[in-house]
Amino acid sequence: MSDDTPDKPAAKKAARKTTRRKTTARKKPVTPKAEATSPLVEAAGTVEADATATSSQPVSPKAPPAATPAGLITVPIPVRWRDLDAFNHVNNSKYLSYLEEARLQWMLTVPGMGMDDHVAPVVAAAQLNYRRPIAWPAQVEIELSVERLGNTSLTIGHRIVDANDRGVLFCDGHVVMVWIDRDSGSAAALPDAVREACGG
């Protein structure tokens, strides 16, 4: 008695080939379509690229390059024993004192110290980024620069660095100073002497 049924391995192999042919036959070539980009998407990409190109250095204990073009003054200050706290490093509040001293040293270089009988500057905001502790003994330098020159205000960028290794950054940030009318307390125009001292 003859057996017309093909042996099972050969049948399976033939079935697989048939399935592959069918699958391949169903596939159609895909033509790439042009991506539709809206003007808003393109504009957002441009803005993002510009922002990346002009963004500041990432936060690091090492100092980013100083902004020398708008530099105002560099003031050396020795760290005093009384500046230390219970952890044997300079207390955070003393950083403000160092910055205040540097700003006053700069204002001494401005005619009339940037004030008169009618207008005077006040600190409106202060931002300090504490990068690393300052130990004793040490000599630091306070670097001040112009970040923004407004109609009634001046934003002064600051950096506290090691006087012996200016690549070591202890603190950075900025202070906003606003000139006010002594009588009314309202904002007053930035004095010409201050604007000239800032190169504006």
Side-chain angles (χ1 to χ4, degrees):
M1 186 173 172
S2 66
D3 185 7
D4 293 334
T5 308
D7 51 302
K8 290 181 183 178
K12 282 183 183 175
K13 198 170 185 181
R16 272 200 299 266
K17 282 184 183 175
T18 309
T19 308
R20 278 194 204 122
R21 277 192 214 110
K22 284 181 183 175
T23 307
T24 309
R26 270 186 276 156
K27 285 185 181 175
K28 293 182 182 176
V30 178
T31 52
K33 294 181 182 177
E35 289 184 16
T37 56
S38 69
L40 287 176
V41 171
E42 288 175 2
T46 305
V47 170
E48 187 178 337
D50 290 346
T52 304
T54 58
S55 65
S56 61
Q57 295 289 334
V59 173
S60 154
K62 282 289 181 182
T68 49
L72 291 176
I73 194 171
T74 298
V75 179
I77 294 180
V79 174
R80 299 157 299 186
W81 177 259
R82 67 175 179 267
D83 296 342
L84 305 185
D85 59 18
F87 299 103
N88 283 327
H89 54 64
V90 174
N91 186 271
N92 63 80
S93 64
K94 295 299 180 182
Y95 286 59
L96 285 165
S97 298
Y98 295 168
L99 296 169
E100 178 184 50
E101 179 66 27
R103 284 195 309 274
L104 288 170
Q105 291 289 335
W106 171 69
M107 290 181 73
L108 286 171
T109 68
V110 179
M113 290 186 68
M115 61 183 85
D116 58 29
D117 293 338
H118 306 289
V119 297
V122 294
V123 173
Q127 179 196 358
L128 278 74
N129 303 309
Y130 297 97
R131 303 301 184 183
R132 61 166 46 182
I134 304 173
W136 183 91
Q139 181 87 13
V140 298
E141 289 186 345
I142 317 300
E143 300 172 350
L144 300 184
S145 60
V146 179
E147 281 194 1
R148 181 180 177 276
L149 201 57
N151 294 324
T152 63
S153 67
L154 167 63
T155 302
I156 299 177
H158 54 242
R159 290 163 28 103
I160 302 177
V161 298
D162 188 326
N164 298 315
D165 181 0
R166 302 184 68 164
V168 177
L169 176 67
F170 296 116
C171 175
D172 62 2
H174 62 259
V175 167
V176 179
M177 298 181 70
V178 176
W179 269 254
I180 61 166
D181 184 285
R182 288 178 184 265
D183 298 323
S184 65
S186 58
L190 203 65
D192 291 339
V194 174
R195 195 172 292 281
E196 287 170 16
C198 295

